[in-house]
Amino acid sequence: MPSSPLQLTSEHPCFGGVQRFYQHASTTIGLPMRLSVFLPAQAQQGRVPALVYLAGLTCNEETFMTKGGAQRYAAEHGLALIAPDTSPRGANIPGEADAWDFGLAAGFYVDAVQAPWASHYRMESYLVQELLPTVSQHLPVDGGRLGITGHSMGGHGALTLALKYPDLFRSVSAFAPICAPTQCPWGRKAFAGYLGDDSATWQAHDASALMARQTQAPFPQGILIDQGLGDKFLAEQLHPHLLEAACSAVGQPLNLRRHAGYDHGYYFVSTFMADHVAHHAVSLLHK
């Protein structure tokens, strides 16, 4: 087996398995990238399916593993967890840290085509073409049994990547996702900066628009989304009703659960984490 490009930076015993943090030199990004991986005890006996988690604005590869509380449930089901960073680090693009919702820690899981972002901000290609194949090759992870989930900006990423790469991801869920980024301030700002002013090109990165294009249900086993009704971003930024309508129009089963009082943070995410891991386990635990 070739030597691994994944450099282990730390590891911690966790629920009978191991929580690891890695960095590697990304050829797609052109910079070092960081990620975290939880391997359950079952990975000592062979390859295990994995759930990919994409974090939201201002977060990094540690956020989910320290705040999400998913390892307990992943250990019970025998699933690995994979969490990448949310953007390149060290690009040193002027102004990349000026706003919390664009640039650093806000890569939106797209490939930028606008200068100066296009040289490094290539998160979609990085995840699909480099990171997941690398993890599957060098860790005991079954690349043929992957699910994807995420929170907020990461929920947008999970939904859009699942819809664009249905042969890669068997299952999908999201927590408080940005469901129609072409129709909210966060999305319009990010897409204009990364993709340019032609809003027609933005549709390829909008979950509601992508779903509306489907001719049949892409995930007949269902999509799970949890949304807090006390979320201060719900009305202006998230628009789950638009995805709900698109799913209904194409016959895509959607379990959109609305929860009174819950806000946008990780107290909300961790509350419903067990249900999301179980949702993915149904699709991932058969060969």
Side-chain angles (χ1 to χ4, degrees):
M1 178 179 291
S3 61
S4 175
L6 299 173
Q7 178 186 349
L8 182 67
T9 58
S10 68
E11 64 178 351
H12 315 272
C14 186
F15 291 103
V18 61
Q19 175 63 57
R20 292 177 176 172
F21 295 89
Y22 293 96
Q23 68 178 21
H24 71 116
S26 168
T27 57
T28 306
I29 299 294
L31 293 166
M33 291 293 290
R34 304 192 305 251
L35 68 146
S36 58
V37 178
F38 169 74
L39 294 172
Q42 293 88 334
Q44 298 175 18
Q45 307 302 319
R47 294 186 180 275
V48 295
L51 177 58
V52 180
Y53 180 91
L54 305 182
L57 295 165
T58 75
C59 296
N60 60 29
E61 79 288 351
E62 295 183 359
T63 309
F64 168 64
M65 297 302 186
T66 56
K67 294 184 176 182
Q71 292 96 330
R72 174 191 298 271
Y73 311 114
E76 292 172 358
H77 291 286
L79 302 180
L81 302 171
I82 303 168
D85 204 348
T86 51
S87 79
R89 309 275 174 171
N92 297 320
I93 296 173
E96 72 173 341
D98 288 354
W100 66 275
D101 56 356
F102 181 78
L104 197 65
F108 269 82
Y109 305 104
V110 301
D111 287 352
V113 298
Q114 292 289 103
W117 311 99
S119 58
H120 297 296
Y121 278 67
R122 299 178 49 78
M123 291 299 293
E124 179 177 339
S125 291
Y126 166 67
L127 288 168
V128 172
Q129 298 177 16
E130 183 177 7
L131 178 63
L132 293 179
T134 299
V135 169
S136 299
Q137 181 180 2
H138 296 284
L139 296 177
V141 168
D142 184 349
R145 290 186 290 162
L146 299 176
I148 190 167
T149 187
H151 171 233
S152 192
M153 175 186 73
H156 138 76
L159 291 168
T160 56
L161 294 181
L163 289 168
K164 294 178 75 172
Y165 304 97
D167 293 337
L168 180 59
F169 300 107
R170 286 194 183 186
S171 55
V172 60
S173 72
F175 300 88
I178 305 172
C179 291
T182 62
Q183 301 185 52
C184 75
W186 280 343
R188 287 193 292 263
K189 178 178 181 178
F191 288 177
Y194 295 136
L195 305 176
D197 294 332
D198 182 3
S199 59
T201 66
W202 302 356
Q203 302 298 314
H205 307 281
D206 182 305
S208 297
L210 287 169
M211 184 63 73
R213 298 178 185 176
Q214 304 298 314
T215 57
Q216 60 184 10
F219 291 92
Q221 74 275 31
I223 296 172
L224 173 62
I225 293 178
D226 280 299
Q227 175 62 61
L229 295 180
D231 189 326
K232 66 180 180 180
F233 301 115
L234 175 57
E236 184 177 28
Q237 304 283 9
L238 304 181
H239 301 322
H241 64 287
L242 297 178
L243 180 63
E244 187 174 39
C247 287
S248 178
V250 302
Q252 169 61 54
L254 172 66
N255 186 8
L256 173 54
R257 308 191 301 185
R258 296 173 169 92
H259 305 281
Y262 282 90
D263 61 22
H264 196 68
Y266 270 85
Y267 298 113
F268 153 69
V269 172
S270 61
T271 298
F272 302 104
M273 184 58 67
D275 293 344
H276 283 250
V277 176
H279 166 81
H280 290 274
V282 171
S283 296
L284 299 181
L285 289 178
H286 64 273
K287 292 291 186 179

